[in-house]
DNA sequence: TTGTACGCGTTATCAT
DNA sequence: ATGATAACGCGTACAA
């Protein structure tokens, strides 16, 4: 029975019994039992997606839908299903049980922190782990966008429009070197340096992941003696605050202040002025992570990490060329 | 060993051996094997979330994050994990295997269609199924918001501001009576009738789930001989199109046209003018669905369906009272 | 209180 | 080509 149901060809079963088995299976509406199969095969056909729930951005996750779509689009055809689990402070090592208890064959871990010992150990023990987002100081396989390069493309866009006084608002405090926030800030600096524009630290503000911080940072930038003509904001959410600040200060966007964001949230296309931004290919990242995970599970090899390209999406908020003064 | 590890009290094991077992478990870093446990217990500790992927709103799902958060917040403490699967046209009955193959103990099914025979049969066979979104003509247990009531609250808000010419744009074509789109349109009608305002069918437009359709519907409404002073749009996404249409037509919101949406997407708070809307408590709905599913799984009873209340969120787009003409 | 043995459902292996 | 059997890891029923 097992041979008939699990192999399409290359098995030595007479056609007669083959049909007999298939007929019986149909009649009984037979479906193989997942637990029995997992136990015997020593494989679950399940992959885990670990989502870090920070109290701050608790329900923000706009990327979740496309990411999961990308993951399942790869896992599904390979015969894998997806188990999603939130990793929070109450049970910080839940994912350890997932792998060590063989509930899943591998996990995709989003936004790992640099000091996650149990995670490092899982990797060392040849468990299939793949990271969503680069982890500085570890050699765990990851997928990520090149944040510095994406930031450079945004700032170079502003430079090409004629801007020289370009401010930067990060999407959050710089927690450690090599973090997303750090890389985007670095890209901003590199772009300026590359075009021989001096980096003015008075034009750099540190956001706090939310719209409000973007609002306040922009207010304070507009109060600078030598007002910037453009601002690169390292996330769309924070950039929305920048647009709001410009609006309330009667500063026209993009004429008086050009704004470029990062992420390309669904709403960024819809607001007015629509937001020029750096698109993060969430679905592709999900698919890439899933492919890497499959490689690790099925081949047992250690996949090499992947950087995907961002894409600059030019919209109204940076729109026109700067009038020469 | 099993007794020691699975029961805190009420077992007849000497303290000495109890400690010996615990010590050994710690030393070995023992974790129970999920498949073995599932097989023996005849329970997987997994619940399935079936997401309907329509080609149209493929990456839209802004509710996904809070919904999953709500679900896991209930399932987690009960010892259940979540398996997420997209149900698409390629394998329309994948969820049948999920239950009949005992991969999961129950499923939450989002946006079921009225003619889903296999789903009805699963329910009849006492499988644990719970619906996200009411399904007209079936008696499957569901969670939903009272769409008609939510729509009424939105329109009554407009009436209370003095509006009499109130248009309606649905969020999509009316596929069947009792659908979300139908209920919201019905609520609009009921509110008008309840306040003795005649329902003018010339003020009703059928959107198509996207911003563009809202834009076009609003343009056409603004071309009406007796222009409406307010419009109820049955989804925020479509309402964004309405705002854009007003903007390009130099119609001031809310002074010349008040706009109320439905859903309360994350961006609705952030745009300008911020959108008055009817909030759908996505997280609570998720939690409620999970509670119902647990009841069905653990008690084997048939939970009664639940309507959760929407909440009217008044923002700028409906803002002021209408000046009497 | 402790030890043993069985069976959950599947699949791989080994003889026939 | 077919049939019989063992084993995956767990929890429980029963014997000791």
């Amino acid at each position: 029975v097992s041979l008939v149901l699990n192999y399409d060809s290359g098995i030595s079963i007479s056609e007669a019994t083959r049909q007999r088995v298939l007929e019986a299976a149909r009649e009984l509406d037979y479906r193989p039992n997942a637990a029995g199969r997992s136990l015997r095969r020593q494989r679950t056909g399940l992959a885990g997606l670990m989502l870090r729930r920070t109290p701050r951005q608790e329900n923000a996750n706009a990327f979740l839908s496309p990411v999961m779509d990308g993951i399942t689009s790869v896992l599904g055809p390979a015969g894998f299903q997806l188990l999603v689990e939130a990793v929070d402070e109450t049970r910080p090592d839940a994912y350890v049980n997932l792998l060590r208890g063989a509930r899943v064959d591998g996990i995709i871990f989003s936004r790992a922190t640099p000091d996650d010992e149990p995670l490092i150990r899982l990797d060392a023990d040849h468990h299939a782990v793949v990271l969503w987002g680069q982890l500085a100081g570890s050699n765990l396989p990851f997928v990520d966008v090149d944040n510095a390069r994406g930031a450079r493309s945004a700032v170079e866009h502003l430079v090409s429009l004629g801007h020289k006084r370009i401010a930067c608002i990060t999407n959050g405090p710089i927690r450690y070197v090599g973090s997303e926030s750090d890389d985007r800030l670095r890209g901003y600096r590199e772009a300026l340096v590359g075009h021989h524009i001096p980096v003015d630290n008075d034009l750099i503000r540190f956001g706090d992941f939310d719209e409000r911080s973007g609002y306040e940072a922009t207010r304070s930038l507009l109060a600078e003696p030598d007002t910037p003509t453009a601002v690169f904001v390292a996330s769309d959410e924070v950039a929305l605050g920048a647009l709001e600040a410009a609006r309330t200060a009667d500063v026209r966007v993009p004429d008086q202040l050009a704004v470029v964001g990062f992420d390309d949230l669904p709403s960024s296309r819809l607001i007015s002025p629509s937001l020029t931004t750096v698109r993060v290919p969430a679905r592709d990242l999900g698919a890439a992570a899933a492919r890497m995970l499959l490689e690790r599970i099925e081949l047992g090899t250690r996949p090499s990490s992947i950087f995907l390209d961002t894409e600059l999406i030019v919209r109204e908020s940076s729109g026109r060329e700067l009038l020469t003064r």
Side-chain angles (χ1 to χ4, degrees), chain A residues 8 15 30 35 40 44 56 86 106 119 121 127 130 145 147 180 182 186 193 195 215 221 251 263 270 295 317:
Chain A
D8 285 347
E15 189 56 27
Y30 169 83
R40 174 67 229 217
T44 63
R56 185 168 293 272
L119 188 61
R121 226 173 307 135
H127 282 286
V130 161
V145 290
N147 284 298
E180 182 184 286
D182 181 54
R186 185 161 54 80
V193 170
H195 290 83
Y215 177 87
L221 282 171
V251 169
D263 286 342
L270 303 174
E295 179 187 335
S317 70

Side-chain angles (χ1 to χ4, degrees), chain A residues 55-124:
Chain A
R56 185 168 293 272
Q57 51 173 33
E58 48 185 21
N59 43 8
N61 215 336
F63 285 156
L64 187 56
S65 186
V67 168
M68 285 181 43
D69 189 38
I71 293 175
T72 53
S73 74
V74 170
L75 289 187
F80 279 78
Q81 287 158 325
L82 189 64
L83 184 157
V84 182
E85 185 153 292
V87 24
D88 53 21
E89 308 74 38
T90 61
R91 308 182 337 112
D93 62 341
Y95 62 93
V96 178
N97 292 338
L98 232 49
L99 279 171
R100 297 208 187 270
R103 164 127 269 182
V104 301
D105 298 328
I107 60 173
I108 299 172
F109 201 108
S110 101
R111 317 210 159 285
T113 48
D115 54 347
D116 196 329
E117 298 280 359
L119 188 61
I120 309 288
R121 226 173 307 135
L122 284 174
D123 175 62

